[in-house]
Amino acid sequence: MNKIILHIEGLTVLLGCLYFYSYLDLNWVLFFVLLLAPDIFMLGYLINNKIGALLYNMVHTYSLSIIITILGVILSYPIILSIGLIWTAHIGMDRCFGIGLKYKTGFKDTHFNRV
């Protein structure tokens, strides 16, 4: 049951970001170019599992992406707002598909597996 709730939460976040991105009439080319950008941090796994999990999890938590989104609103910078919404949408998309935060034991060990 908890897994289903996490999938629904991710879908809700993704759809919310898509709605606001569309409502604010932001650049869709930028959206699709940057949508998978946070996954670059998977490269940390080339060093070792501990660093890979640390880097991946830092970028795949809502905290930083929402702070960037709020800064974009406060500063009235559409590019910062776009990056924050895209980043948050990416995390929501990952959670919707069952891709979760990583444990240092390996890339495939996520909080979805241990819920």
Side-chain angles (χ1 to χ4, degrees):
M1 182 64 175
N2 290 340
K3 237 178 161 180
I4 294 170
I5 292 170
L6 289 173
H7 289 286
I8 293 170
E9 174 192 56
L11 178 62
T12 303
V13 169
L14 173 60
L15 292 176
C17 288
L18 289 172
Y19 171 78
F20 284 113
Y21 205 86
S22 176
Y23 180 79
L24 296 168
D25 198 29
L26 299 170
N27 186 329
W28 284 102
V29 172
L30 182 67
F31 184 89
F32 289 109
V33 167
L34 294 182
L35 184 60
L36 298 178
D39 285 339
I40 291 171
F41 287 85
M42 284 190 290
L43 294 175
Y45 279 95
L46 295 174
I47 299 168
N48 64 44
N49 284 346
K50 185 177 179 181
I51 291 174
L54 176 68
L55 290 174
Y56 185 91
N57 291 342
M58 282 181 8
V59 175
H60 284 82
T61 58
Y62 290 117
S63 304
L64 292 175
S65 67
I66 290 173
I67 288 170
I68 297 298
T69 304
I70 291 169
L71 279 174
V73 170
I74 291 170
L75 300 173
S76 296
Y77 283 137
I79 190 73
I80 294 174
L81 177 57
S82 295
I83 290 169
L85 285 172
I86 295 166
W87 189 355
T88 305
H90 172 88
I91 298 167
M93 179 181 68
D94 275 1
R95 303 276 163 72
C96 177
F97 293 128
I99 302 168
L101 298 173
K102 310 300 183 192
Y103 288 101
K104 61 182 176 181
T105 54
F107 184 75
K108 292 185 178 183
D109 293 334
T110 73
H111 78 284
F112 274 88
N113 297 337
R114 296 185 184 187
V115 172

